[in-house]
Amino acid sequence: LQAFHEKHPDFPLRGVFYILPDSAFGQPRRAAEKVRALIAAGFEIGNHTVSHGHLKRLSDAEAQKEMAEAVRKIRVLAPEARVESIALPFGESPKNRALLASGTSGGTSYRHRAAMLVGSNPAPSPVSRKFDPMRLPRIQAIAGAFGLDYWLNWLKEHPEKRYVSDGDPATVTVPRALQQEVDAARLQGATLRTYN
Ligand SMILES: [Zn+2]
C-alpha cells in the first residue's frame, strides 16, 4: 500500500486493519508499536471482537463484551485509536442487531458506523437504496472465484455496474435512468445531479 501510494500520491494511503488485540499481527509483544505506526501513517484500526466468536450465538451481554473489550484492549495498545467500524467474524451479526451500532460492557462503550461482512461481492454505492452500512459486503483479496481478479474483470466487463464518484463532495452525479436507486436521505446535503 505504501509503495503504491508513493508511486501514485493522489491515491490516499487508507485502510482499516481489523485486529484481534490479543494476538495482533502474530506478534503481540510488538502490537502496540505496530498499531501506533499504522495510525500515524493514516490507517484505521477496526474491531474484530476479542475472541473471534460467533456473535449470533451469544447473549446480548456476551456480545457487547466481545465488542467493548476489543475496543478497550485496542486503546491499551494505542490510546489515540478511534475504533469506528467492525469486521464481523464469520459475517455474523448479534441476535440483537442494534448492538452492532453501539453497546457497553465493563465500563467501555463502543460505537460502530459500519460493519463488514466476510464476502464476497462489491458494495453498493453509499447513496444507493441498497446500501446498508451495517451489512457491507467485501471483495476478498484471494485468487479464483469471487476473488480480486474475478471482480476486477467482472467490473471491466460491466462498466455500467461501477459507481464512479464525480470527485466533488458537494454533489452526487448519476445517470438519469438510475435516479430512482438513490436514497435521498443518504445524500447528506449533497446535490443530486443527473445526466443522460
Ligand atoms: Zn476474522
Side-chain angles (χ1 to χ4, degrees), residues 18-50:
Y18 294 98
I19 63 168
L20 299 173
D22 289 333
S23 55
F25 315 108
Q27 253 186 324
R29 270 191 218 157
R30 297 191 63 189
E33 178 194 338
K34 293 190 171 194
V35 165
R36 302 196 74 175
L38 286 170
I39 294 169
F43 295 108
E44 282 181 47
I45 303 300
N47 197 336
H48 200 33
T49 75
V50 172

Side-chain angles (χ1 to χ4, degrees), residues 68-162:
E69 247 323 79
V71 170
R72 189 187 67 76
K73 285 171 181 264
I74 289 168
R75 289 199 189 125
V76 169
L77 296 172
E80 69 273 35
R82 288 173 55 209
V83 180
E84 300 199 70
S85 66
I86 181 168
L88 298 166
F90 314 105
E92 290 181 9
S93 297
K95 277 176 284 196
N96 180 355
R97 286 278 308 274
L99 295 180
L100 259 190
S102 61
T104 303
S105 179
T108 301
S109 296
Y110 60 87
R111 191 168 286 277
H112 299 136
R113 298 163 62 203
M116 312 292 158
L117 301 172
V118 173
S120 51
N121 50 285
S125 141
V127 296
S128 165
R129 292 184 190 281
K130 294 184 195 114
F131 180 83
D132 179 352
M134 296 321 248
R135 290 187 67 75
L136 282 179
R138 292 189 286 171
I139 295 173
Q140 299 193 19
I142 52 173
F146 305 111
L148 195 55
D149 290 335
Y150 172 93
W151 282 115
L152 288 175
N153 285 330
W154 189 89
L155 288 166
K156 204 178 271 176
E157 285 160 20
H158 299 84
E160 77 285 0
K161 293 289 187 186
R162 288 164 74 155

Side-chain angles (χ1 to χ4, degrees), residues 174-177 194-196:
V174 299
R176 186 154 298 148
T194 58
Y195 63 95
N196 283 314

